[in-house]
Amino acid sequence: MPTLDDLVCNITHGNELAELLKVTSLITWDEALMTHKFCFEVLNKTLNDIMEISDDSDIVFEGKVVVYSGNFR
């Protein structure tokens, strides 16, 4: 089973995607029910890294609004 330390997004400081994530205020995640929990944790870890916040921060997703969607039955 993978651990959170092993999982990373391939987004480096200063590239266009990192700069876009810095100014983003809303993230829409489609098919969230089909996604493994590690994906959410990795996104949080990646945002911590991009925004240069320590990993022990209590703010989830760096205060960005995340809308989860999918087929809720």
Side-chain angles (χ1 to χ4, degrees):
M1 174 172 282
T3 64
L4 184 57
D5 294 332
D6 297 337
L7 300 174
V8 293
C9 292
N10 191 16
I11 302 171
T12 58
H13 289 275
N15 76 9
E16 291 178 8
L17 183 54
E19 296 304 315
L20 179 64
L21 285 172
K22 282 184 179 181
V23 298
T24 297
S25 59
L26 173 70
I27 298 172
T28 304
W29 194 312
D30 191 22
E31 296 298 335
L33 294 177
M34 303 295 291
T35 305
H36 195 279
K37 72 174 190 167
F38 282 123
C39 295
F40 301 108
E41 294 173 4
V42 168
L43 176 62
N44 186 50
K45 182 179 175 183
T46 300
L47 288 173
N48 283 342
D49 183 47
I50 290 171
M51 303 296 282
E52 298 176 355
I53 306 293
S54 67
D55 283 340
D56 59 351
S57 173
D58 291 335
I59 301 173
V60 179
F61 297 121
E62 297 315 308
K64 298 181 186 307
V65 176
V66 180
V67 176
Y68 300 107
S69 65
N71 193 2
F72 298 98
R73 291 183 189 211

